[in-house]
Amino acid sequence: MPRLFTALEIPRNVAMSLSLLRGGIPGARWIDVENYHITLRFIGDVDNRTADEIVDRLDRIDRQEFQVSISGIGSFGSKKPHSVWAGVTPSQEMSALQGEIERICQRIGLPADPRKFMPHVTLGRLKSCRLDEVVHYLAGRGNFHAMPFTASRFVLLSSKESVGGGPYVTEETFALTEAWGTGHSGGDVYETSRY
């Protein structure tokens, strides 16, 4: 079974804005635009029965869609950076969805995720990149902002065992209930095919 994780998709117009952040760090491996996402819960390698149970439980989640804002950039690994990311403004709705997914995973016997949930979009993986080049890259792009968008669903993605960064396959989609009286603002509707 491929390794699984739940995520929020990034609409095409926002992904194109994020793609402008690619480049500027020699040796970085930049994530392909179609693989941008916000991880909610890394599940890992599970057998087919467990995967089916996860899908069944995720399908019962009943939460409203919510706004997502992406702004600022940063890196993981302070002295030896290993990735750069765009920040996602935490929201109560996103944290509640992530918490419910975490509880579902623990109820079916998966170990608790040891990392604190910090929503972000990974832009690039760094290996043997110089710290001063990463600092310079971050300093020049720290005021990044993308158009806010509505998360109207979350997805179960799979990846082949690799060094990370895709390609990812959408295994299942789970709709979030339209927030009453808000409607859609036009440019944030997801295409039915992968993007």
Side-chain angles (χ1 to χ4, degrees):
M1 185 73 192
R3 57 189 43 175
L4 300 174
F5 59 99
T6 58
L8 297 174
E9 300 162 299
I10 305 296
R12 185 117 187 113
N13 62 330
V14 177
M16 295 317 291
S17 294
L18 288 166
S19 74
L20 300 176
L21 297 170
R22 294 164 56 109
I25 305 176
R29 192 170 60 79
W30 300 99
I31 304 297
D32 291 334
V33 174
E34 62 271 13
N35 289 314
Y36 289 153
H37 64 274
I38 301 165
T39 300
L40 294 171
R41 188 6 163 123
F42 180 74
I43 296 169
D45 301 306
V46 294
D47 59 38
N48 287 333
R49 189 187 64 74
T50 304
D52 288 344
E53 190 171 355
I54 289 167
V55 169
D56 181 58
R57 302 252 185 133
L58 293 177
D59 202 35
R60 295 182 210 167
I61 290 177
D62 182 19
R63 293 199 172 269
Q64 286 192 337
E65 59 187 20
F66 53 88
Q67 286 290 109
V68 178
S69 297
I70 298 176
S71 64
I73 61 169
S75 66
F76 287 127
S78 54
K79 288 190 173 70
K80 193 173 186 327
H82 55 79
S83 62
V84 291
W85 45 261
V88 176
T89 305
S91 69
Q92 189 174 351
E93 297 89 350
M94 186 187 304
S95 295
L97 174 61
Q98 189 277 335
E100 185 169 355
I101 294 169
E102 176 65 33
R103 286 188 297 280
I104 286 169
C105 289
Q106 289 184 38
R107 277 190 205 118
I108 62 173
L110 297 174
D113 191 337
R115 295 164 297 199
K116 182 181 185 305
F117 178 57
M118 191 194 129
H120 64 278
V121 179
T122 301
L123 302 172
R125 309 254 182 223
L126 312 177
K127 190 173 182 180
S128 308
C129 295
R130 290 182 22 206
L131 179 59
D132 62 327
E133 290 171 337
V134 176
V135 169
H136 182 264
Y137 168 86
L138 296 174
R141 294 163 180 82
N143 63 351
F144 174 80
H145 289 281
M147 286 289 294
F149 64 94
T150 301
S152 59
R153 68 184 194 180
F154 68 98
V155 293
L156 181 67
L157 298 177
S158 66
S159 66
K160 302 261 186 292
E161 191 167 349
S162 69
V163 289
Y168 303 120
V169 175
T170 302
E171 299 291 344
E172 296 284 342
T173 62
F174 307 96
L176 298 170
T177 308
E178 187 171 339
W180 186 80
T182 59
H184 283 285
S185 58
D188 59 356
V189 177
Y190 295 109
E191 299 169 21
T192 52
S193 62
R194 288 196 64 223
Y195 39 82

